[in-house]
Each structure stands twice: as structure tokens, then as C-alpha cells.
Amino acid sequence: WGAARPLIGTMIGVGILGLPFAMAQVGVVVGTIELVLAALVSYLVLRLYGDLVMIRGGKARFIQVIGRELGHFGTGIAAIAYIGAAFGALLAFIIFGGQFLRVLTFAMMPMTITTSTVVFFIIASFFTIGGTLFVARAQKFLIPLFIGLVVLLMIVAAPHMTIPHILSSTQSHVWIPLGVMLFAFHGMSALPEMRDILGRRSNLLPKSTARATIVVALVYAVFSIGILGVTGAATTENAILGLSTIGKSLVLLASGIALLTTFNAYTNVATQLTNTFLYDLRMRFVSAWFLTATIPFVLFLAGAQQISSVLSITGGVLGSLTAIMMLIAYERARVSADLPKNSLQISQWAVGLTFVVFIGVMVMTVVG
């Protein structure tokens, strides 16, 4: 469970805030089926990547783990997709974090949305200077607190839920929500951190990965159906702010949860991306941290602020491309001469099916 925490903390980010809106597009039945599909596909990808992480060992992160199998050109594509997806995630965290900080502090200290975003960015970025160990220790308290607050929110919101709202939908394109859902389960960057935590017990990595994915899927399902039950087809892109129609206290509670979630996810992904620059690209810590912090913030200032587009592109396009490159690396590693036979045990048909799913999601996201 200790090794599962980085993955839980990485996956549960702003994706959870976009899930109710995604589910409202297609209805709770189709939305739940897609959520389960996204969880299964994401777990398989994590399991495949986990095999590569354990085999390669050392301090290698994504670029080095798959770079030995893909050559310079393939590694370049994978690195761009992986780093781009991480920057997209951090951008989404900054956008949401600024919104929720503004909601919570507006009564005492009114701020514009730009000002609150800058404040959130400064605090969260400063927090990541502590590195992996500091963030991991903080998660020991932040994740249980988050899950407890989500349960409290559902209890408070229960009297406002209705069956017609839960069953409502806007009848949008059935594949569009999958990009957001895959984004919500994106957590590959946490696997090397989990390996480091397990140390000599790295054989437990698959079990820790499964536990984390199940916990996250359950939290997502409860949260999404709960929010949908309150706001129905009127669910907004930022599900929390859409609760303003039923009471300020509920919005404040939900915003507190969302701010905690966003902050936790930002520190996880920022720390993992910094480690990628540090170990894979051999940067100095200050340069790696500065690059991680500033690029998403510059994108925000440049106008990349539409959250649904950020989530869809990050999850449906860049996240899918990252997974596809990892799957190619897995199959090449299967026949590698420097690895023991049968060291990679996921069947080829499972890898091939997952490959087809991500190609389809990437195409449908772009078309949609």
C-alpha cells in the first residue's frame, strides 16, 4: 500500500473533476462502461510498463526504460509525447488550482482568476523543491484525507441527488469521454517511484499497481455518479463549480477537496517529470525543476486555458501516443537478446488489443 500511494496520488488529479462532465455526455450506463474499460486498459499499460521498469532497474525513468528498445527516432517521439503529456497535466492542474483557490478565498481576499492561478502556481511549485521523499511523506496524510472528504461530500450531496439526473445525458459522441477518462487514469510516471519505494520487494509492483487502480476506479465512479445525480445534464466542465446552484457550503467543501486533489496531483507529476529530466536527460536539479515549473505556466499565460481541450489532447492524444510507444518497446524487449527468456509475460494478443484501443482513442479524440 505504501508503494501504491504515488500511483493513487498521480492518477487522482484534475481528471476526477472532468469525469462527471464526460459521463454526462453519454449517460451513466455508457459512461460507467467506458470508465471500466479505461481502468482495464490503463491497468494493462501500467502492468506492461511495470515489467520494463523492473527489468531495467537503476534510476531509469520513462525515456531510458524504453529508449533501449526504440532507437533514437522512436525514443525521440516517445520522449516528446511523454513530456508533452506531463506538461499538459501540469497545465490542467494550474488551471483548476487557480479556480478553486479563488472560490475558497474570495470572501476574505478577492482575486482575479489570473492572480489566484499565479498564487497556486507559486505555492505548488515551491512545494516540489522538497523532491520525491518529501512528497511521498506528505501523501501518507493527503490521500486518506482526500478519500475521507470525498465520502463526506457524497453524504452531504445525497439529499440533492435524483434518479432522472443520474440517467440524463447530452447524447454526445460516444468516444469523446474516453480521452478524459484515460487522462484520469494516466499514471505511468509513478511506476519508477513505486519501484524505488519497494526496493528489494519490487516483485510486489503488479499487486501495488492493481490495488491503486481499483481504489482510483471506485473513487471515480462514486464521485462521478454523485455529481451527476445533483446536476444531471447541466453538469459543467468544472464539476465542482457547477454545484453552486444548490448551496454555497457544498461548493466550498467540494472546492476544498478539489484544491487538495489538484495540489497533490501537481506535486506528484512535477516531481516525477523533474526526476525524468534529472536521471534520463542528465540535467542539474535546479534546471530540471525550473523547466518543469515554467513551461506549463507559460502555456497558461499564452492562452491555453480551455480545460476540456487540455484534458482531451493530453489524455486522448499525447497519453495514447505515450502508451503506444511503450507497447512497441515492450514487444521489442520481448525478443531482446540481453533479457532472460519469459521475463515479459503479458501475452502478445493482449498487447496487440491494447495497441488497437489506443490507436482508436487517439483518432477518435482528434476527429471528435
Side-chain angles (χ1 to χ4, degrees), residues 61-86:
R61 264 52 186 179
F62 181 80
I63 298 173
Q64 279 193 21
V65 167
I66 71 169
R68 299 184 188 182
E69 321 302 336
L70 296 180
H72 293 301
F73 181 73
T75 301
I77 295 175
I80 291 171
Y82 177 81
I83 294 172

Side-chain angles (χ1 to χ4, degrees), residues 200-215:
R200 294 180 180 178
R201 303 178 69 194
S202 60
N203 62 305
L204 295 177
L205 185 60
K207 183 179 289 187
S208 294
T209 302
R211 287 181 175 182
T213 306
I214 291 171
V215 168

